[in-house]
Amino acid sequence: MTNPVLFLLAALTLVAVPGPNHLYITTRSIGEGRRAGIASALGVETGTLVHIGAAAAGLSAVVAASATAFGILRYAGAAYLVFLAYRTLRGGREDAELDLEPRPLLRVYLDGALVNVLNPKVVLFFLAFLPQFADPDAGAVPLQIAAMGAATALIGLVVDLGYAVAAGSIGAWLRARPAFRRRQRYATGLVYLGLGAAAVLAGPSTRRA
């Protein structure tokens, strides 16, 4: 690896900038509580580990180079986010309190993992970012990519947990207000729909989603 300090600073800068994954975690934490936000963060970074493995094995390059494979991944990710929106909005009732029903934490964790695994922008991020810091003279490049990817995932987890904890505190305050509870389900569903639209429009980028 060339210049580990520069790599860590670049990874921290790119990962800390708010993106779709942070919005997803924040929405989940506000709507369903801090524990759901933390489970979502763990799921998202588990998905990151899948992308790291694919990048190290060269599979990400294959996906990015194939319009068909990239399109399948993009639309599958969008479809899953639309499904989450439908599942959220379907539970709304006009004659009852509109708090979101907390999901089992394992389900929340798996949702986060799938949202990230099916995010094509993460594929492009690792292809554009990690190879810049690999040094062919320092040993096996796939191992370097795997190590740098794991470091990026660890940094991402710390940042994601920060978003989850902060949003959980804000959510507890908001849920104590009836006006928010009446709109909570619909706001959450619209965020998922917006993320689904963003997934459809995904294109090359060096910033991790």
Side-chain angles (χ1 to χ4, degrees):
M1 184 194 308
T2 60
N3 202 330
V5 174
L6 179 60
F7 162 73
L8 290 174
L9 288 174
L12 177 60
T13 301
L14 291 172
V15 169
V17 173
N21 280 341
H22 299 135
L23 180 57
Y24 171 78
I25 292 167
T26 298
T27 300
R28 201 100 202 208
S29 197
I30 289 176
E32 299 178 50
R34 183 177 298 170
R35 295 178 67 194
I38 291 172
S40 295
L42 292 171
V44 163
E45 294 309 326
T46 298
T48 296
L49 294 178
V50 174
H51 284 293
I52 292 166
L59 297 178
S60 293
V62 174
V63 171
S66 169
T68 299
F70 190 82
I72 290 173
L73 186 66
R74 178 172 59 182
Y75 287 110
Y80 191 71
L81 284 162
V82 170
F83 165 72
L84 292 181
Y86 167 76
R87 191 175 69 183
T88 299
L89 295 170
R90 183 184 60 181
R93 296 179 300 173
E94 296 297 329
D95 59 344
E97 188 177 89
L98 292 180
D99 285 339
L100 290 179
E101 177 186 353
R103 303 280 175 181
L105 291 181
L106 178 59
R107 177 71 265 175
V108 174
Y109 167 80
L110 292 175
D111 283 345
L114 278 174
V115 164
N116 201 20
V117 166
L118 297 175
N119 186 345
K121 291 191 73 175
V122 181
V123 174
L124 296 176
F125 169 81
F126 282 115
L127 283 178
F129 178 63
L130 295 182
Q132 298 179 43
F133 297 91
D135 182 2
D137 295 330
V141 171
L143 290 179
Q144 293 182 56
I145 289 177
M148 290 187 291
T152 303
L154 181 59
I155 294 171
L157 178 60
V158 173
V159 173
D160 291 348
L161 290 175
Y163 275 93
V165 171
S169 299
I170 295 171
W173 182 80
L174 289 173
R175 286 193 299 275
R177 283 145 180 81
F180 171 77
R181 294 211 309 267
R182 286 194 295 269
R183 297 172 176 83
Q184 175 186 2
R185 189 183 304 274
Y186 304 108
T188 300
L190 288 174
V191 169
Y192 291 157
L193 287 174
L195 291 174
V200 170
L201 299 174
S205 174
T206 57
R207 201 190 87 186
R208 198 182 79 141

